[in-house]
Amino acid sequence: MSLLFSPFHLRGIILKNRIVVSPMCQYAAVDGLANDWHLVHLGSRAVGGAALVLTEAVAVEPKGRISPADLGLWNDGQIEPLRRITRFIESQGAVPGIQLAHAGRKASVMPPWMGDSPVTLAEGGWVPVGPTDEPFQPDGLRPMALCTDEIAELVAAFGAAASRACRAGFKVIEIHGAHGYLVNEFMSPLVNKRTDEYGASFENRLRFLKEVVAAIRSNIPTDMPLLLRISASDWHEDGWQVSDSVRLGHMAAEMGIDLIDCSSGGSIPGVKIPAKPNCQVPFAEEVRKAGIPTGAVGIIVNAQQAEEILEQGCADLIFMARELLRNPYFPLAAAAELGDEVAWPVQYERAKRVVKK
Ligand SMILES: Cc1cc2nc3c(=O)[nH]c(=O)nc-3n(C[C@H](O)[C@H](O)[C@H](O)COP(=O)(O)O)c2cc1C
């Protein structure tokens, strides 16, 4: 059996293979509510054979949405539409997971196909929040700097959203600590210029993350896996470095994190990221040496490439985004390519016989 199709244990759950649907914003929600689009989008990828199907970034409070069309889990009314999705994902033998997020100073922008431009108050936008009042871009919305009471409220919002996620049937939670959104904003020295207990030193910049992890852990069952997505490098000499990620890797298990999903970038605009296949794999490899399981992500587009990443011990899970948009059935075809026998949905079995090995 290939490594890609070998099972993986994470706390109380077993993933049937190593393929994870990486979180992908759909900008398709109204008032944060999941709808038929989210059911079909996430459901198709469960049918396609991925082991863990993660939702897009789901905001823990309305101001934490990237755009007005993001999913949210800040009230109980948002639970039931998500339950419908988790039920379907599980019926396909996949594990439903949710990415809990707060967009921080990068909130209140239009969907990418409408230009990522700030949504004004008149258009239904809002004033974002951040570690300081420095905007992401000079011409972007100026955020309100969070005071310590507001930070405590946001920590509690992560905890409450985690509790709702459990009631919605999710079996895995991922904290979005990457791409220059709020958790990452506190971590990165490029963004966090605070001088209080939430800023300056490495320990202080991790305080918000640690409090979020603790709030979530105290609201979910002990056997529920908690993943953390990080920007393992800011790709900037004054920014968060891979060595910081490794340092965090050493602390992660103790904090209550079960796996670090290693992405990168996003803290400040204008940074050059050498986007090419496997460009972020070395981050997963380095962090994994700290003794914490990792996920690799970024232009992983074929079965052999994914298998080699696992064989070389660079990561434990393979997160895939755009390739799964192009082909939701990639895992079924990848299994055939690697010579592994996996179950297809019975409704599709007549198509299985003709897949070339
Ligand atoms: C349409 C789209 C939406 C995305 N939304 C999110 C998101 O909500 N949260 C997140 O952490 N990353 C998000 N990403 C980043 C992906 O999860 C992934 O890290 C990135 O696309 C690189 O992987 P790939 O080369 O397999 O696409 C998004 C990517 C795409 C293409």
Side-chain angles (χ1 to χ4, degrees):
M1 182 191 261
S2 67
L3 285 174
L4 191 59
F5 286 91
S6 63
F8 187 65
H9 289 246
L10 262 177
R11 281 204 191 224
I13 64 158
I14 300 174
L15 301 178
K16 64 182 174 185
N17 62 51
R18 308 302 182 95
I19 302 173
V20 181
V21 179
S22 198
M24 280 181 279
C25 284
Q26 298 297 295
Y27 310 98
V30 176
D31 297 330
L33 292 161
N35 57 39
D36 289 357
W37 176 265
H38 304 95
L39 172 70
V40 174
H41 166 68
L42 296 167
S44 307
R45 275 121 202 115
V47 171
L52 173 60
V53 179
L54 288 174
T55 66
E56 66 186 58
V58 176
V60 301
E61 67 144 355
K63 281 185 182 176
R65 290 172 294 171
I66 301 167
S67 84
D70 289 15
L71 286 177
L73 201 38
W74 61 80
N75 70 47
D76 287 356
Q78 290 159 336
I79 295 174
E80 198 46 44
L82 289 169
R83 245 210 98 65
R84 182 174 169 231
I85 296 172
T86 59
R87 253 195 313 265
F88 182 78
I89 292 173
E90 283 201 300
S91 76
Q92 300 306 306
V95 174
I98 185 168
Q99 188 184 54
L100 292 181
H102 193 295
R105 69 175 187 165
K106 288 173 89 173
S108 194
V109 292
M110 291 288 194
W113 57 83
M114 293 170 80
D116 281 322
S117 53
V119 187
T120 62
L121 298 184
E123 293 167 321
W126 57 92
V127 179
V129 297
T132 70
D133 68 354
E134 194 185 346
F136 175 63
Q137 312 210 61
D139 58 348
L141 295 172
R142 181 168 291 282
M144 285 211 342
L146 290 161
C147 68
T148 48
D149 284 352
E150 289 163 337
I151 291 175
E153 282 168 21
L154 287 180
V155 169
F158 270 96
S163 157
R164 290 189 191 100
C166 296
R167 285 152 65 198
F170 289 101
K171 298 295 185 296
V172 170
I173 292 178
E174 176 171 274
I175 299 169
H176 197 344
H179 304 165
Y181 297 116
L182 191 62
V183 173
N184 189 196
E185 285 164 18
F186 274 94
M187 292 162 69
S188 171
L190 294 175
V191 186
N192 185 348
K193 312 265 176 65
R194 293 176 75 101
T195 51
D196 65 359
E197 69 266 39
Y198 288 96
S201 69
F202 178 79
E203 285 74 18
N204 282 357
R205 284 182 282 112
L206 279 195
R207 193 176 305 281
F208 181 61
L209 168 66
K210 280 187 172 174
E211 290 178 356
V212 165
V213 171
I216 292 177
R217 267 273 157 241
S218 66
N219 276 292
I220 62 176
T222 43
D223 63 351
M224 186 167 181
L226 181 57
L227 320 184
L228 171 66
R229 169 163 276 199
I230 61 168
S231 276
S233 166
D234 276 333
W235 298 100
H236 189 288
E237 58 185 7
D238 299 325
W240 177 274
Q241 307 295 331
V242 183
S243 55
D244 294 318
S245 300
V246 172
R247 203 166 154 194
L248 171 60
H250 282 289
M251 302 155 61
E254 175 96 17
M255 283 165 65
I257 294 163
D258 301 302
L259 179 139
I260 299 184
D261 161 15
C262 296
S263 187
S264 72
S267 286
I268 56 167
V271 170
K272 277 217 159 55
I273 299 182
K276 54 180 191 319
N278 290 0
C279 59
Q280 296 176 145
V281 171
F283 303 148
E285 182 178 10
E286 284 307 304
V287 174
R288 193 168 185 259
K289 287 181 194 157
I292 183 96
T294 59
V297 66
I299 321 183
I300 302 172
V301 292
N302 68 63
Q304 205 50 50
Q305 180 190 7
E307 182 67 9
E308 278 167 21
I309 291 167
L310 298 173
E311 269 172 12
Q312 288 163 10
C314 301
D316 300 275
L317 295 178
I318 303 294
F319 287 61
M320 298 177 71
R322 287 164 293 181
E323 186 57 29
L324 292 176
L325 288 188
R326 287 185 281 272
N327 179 10
Y329 309 109
F330 168 85
L332 299 179
E337 192 183 325
L338 295 176
D340 289 311
E341 170 57 33
V342 298
W344 279 42
V346 285
Q347 297 89 337
Y348 288 8
E349 268 180 357
R350 286 170 68 184
K352 183 178 183 181
R353 277 181 258 136
V354 293
V355 173
K356 290 197 184 70
K357 292 209 173 156

